[in-house]
């Protein structure tokens, strides 16, 4: 489903912007971005911030919810296309132009509340079975840091089930999204075993997008701290999957 929103803001360069439409891609990832079942609109904390950036820019745009891997590939290959919420990592940095941070999160390792296993660094995971969501930058990062192979799952709910059913010792996920995913799977909240990195959660745009437009979107985003706090307060400070 594609939702197109017209903006009432006056753009800096109306002639150029009239010919530009940004195609903004996201995924079903509560509370960052999800389809409201009552209205059919894509909404969420990240969506709210992105909508405000686009409204102030005066550029026409569409928002479409897709599976993460498909959205990520399109943002790499298609001009005037962006994907959010995206972890801005050193490996991804040269692949896109970036607008952000939209929000800040963190990467963590979780265990079952009754587990006595202890870790102090990612390398301590080498003697354990670790699970994480496929396509997550946090999983890629900890594999490199720890020198391990993480068992990949289709989503965090499946990872939570593997952890609590004894098929994994640790679970790699976002700081607060792990408890949310566990709750969605009707499981207890996991215990935090290690917080190893803060995350810059941004919008990743095709390299073929106008750099001047990216600069303008970044300037607008930098002025939205009050809006960020308001949106997060309405959503209870929740954080979703940090891809």
């Amino acid at each position: 489903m594609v939702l197109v929103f017209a903006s009432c803001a006056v753009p800096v360069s109306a002639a150029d912007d009239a010919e530009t439409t940004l195609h903004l891609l996201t995924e079903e990832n509560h509370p960052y971005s999800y389809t409201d079942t009552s209205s059919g609109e894509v909404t969420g904390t990240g969506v709210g911030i992105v909508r405000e950036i686009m409204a102030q820019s005066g550029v026409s745009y569409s928002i479409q919810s897709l599976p993460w891997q498909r959205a990520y590939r399109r943002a790499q290959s298609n001009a005037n296309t962006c994907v959010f919420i995206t972890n801005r990592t050193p490996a991804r940095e040269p692949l896109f132009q970036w607008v952000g941070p939209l929000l800040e999160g963190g990467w963590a390792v979780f265990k079952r509340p009754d587990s006595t296993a202890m870790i102090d660094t990612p390398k301590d995971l080498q003697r354990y079975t670790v699970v994480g969501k496929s396509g997550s930058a946090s999983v890629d990062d900890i594999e490199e840091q720890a020198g391990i192979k993480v068992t990949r799952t289709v989503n965090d709910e499946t990872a939570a089930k593997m952890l609590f059913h004894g098929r994994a010792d640790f679970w790699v996920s976002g700081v607060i999204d792990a408890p949310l995913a566990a709750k969605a799977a009707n499981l207890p909240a996991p215990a935090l075993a290690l917080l190893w990195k803060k995350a810059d959660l941004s919008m990743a745009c095709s390299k073929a997008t106008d750099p001047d437009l990216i600069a303008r979107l970044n300037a607008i985003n930098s002025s939205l701290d009050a809006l960020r706090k308001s949106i997060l307060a309405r959503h209870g400070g929740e954080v979703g999957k940090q891809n």
Side-chain angles (χ1 to χ4, degrees), residues 1-141:
M1 175 179 57
V2 178
L3 300 176
V4 179
F5 302 89
S7 172
C8 60
V10 177
V12 172
S13 178
D16 293 340
D17 291 338
E19 300 176 0
T20 301
T21 296
L22 283 185
H23 306 286
L24 308 181
L25 307 177
T26 188
E27 64 169 340
E28 296 297 312
N29 181 11
H30 191 281
Y32 290 146
S33 52
Y34 59 95
T35 303
D36 186 297
T37 55
S38 61
S39 66
E41 291 188 351
V42 179
T43 187
T45 55
V47 174
I49 294 166
V50 168
R51 282 183 176 172
E52 182 60 25
I53 292 171
M54 298 309 300
Q56 291 193 29
S57 76
V59 177
S60 65
Y61 68 100
S62 64
I63 293 182
Q64 184 178 9
S65 179
L66 293 173
W68 175 255
Q69 297 285 12
R70 190 187 310 170
Y72 186 85
R73 288 193 299 268
R74 285 192 185 180
Q76 275 190 273
S77 59
N78 296 353
N80 298 323
T81 302
C82 307
V83 58
F84 70 98
I85 295 282
T86 308
N87 264 306
R88 187 171 182 172
T89 67
R92 290 172 171 174
E93 184 72 26
L95 303 178
F96 299 97
Q97 298 185 83
W98 295 88
V99 178
L102 304 176
L103 295 165
E104 293 184 347
W107 294 345
V109 180
F110 297 88
K111 63 182 182 178
R112 293 182 298 277
D114 61 351
S115 172
T116 58
M118 302 291 291
I119 57 172
D120 295 313
T121 71
K123 287 190 179 299
D124 293 336
L125 292 169
Q126 291 179 354
R127 60 184 183 272
Y128 296 105
T129 301
V130 184
V131 68
K133 174 178 173 283
S134 180
S136 172
S138 62
V139 172
D140 296 336
D141 188 87

Side-chain angles (χ1 to χ4, degrees), residues 112-195:
R112 293 182 298 277
D114 61 351
S115 172
T116 58
M118 302 291 291
I119 57 172
D120 295 313
T121 71
K123 287 190 179 299
D124 293 336
L125 292 169
Q126 291 179 354
R127 60 184 183 272
Y128 296 105
T129 301
V130 184
V131 68
K133 174 178 173 283
S134 180
S136 172
S138 62
V139 172
D140 296 336
D141 188 87
I142 207 161
E143 281 189 331
E144 181 178 351
Q145 285 198 39
I148 62 173
K149 185 65 176 177
V150 175
T151 300
R152 309 285 180 126
T153 62
V154 294
N155 53 44
D156 266 331
E157 288 80 3
T158 302
K161 292 175 182 177
M162 289 185 66
L163 178 73
F164 278 92
H165 293 166
R167 296 171 58 195
D169 302 304
F170 290 97
W171 168 23
V172 179
S173 189
V175 175
I176 303 177
D177 58 304
L180 292 174
K183 181 178 180 181
N186 295 315
L187 294 168
L192 179 65
L194 177 68
L195 174 61

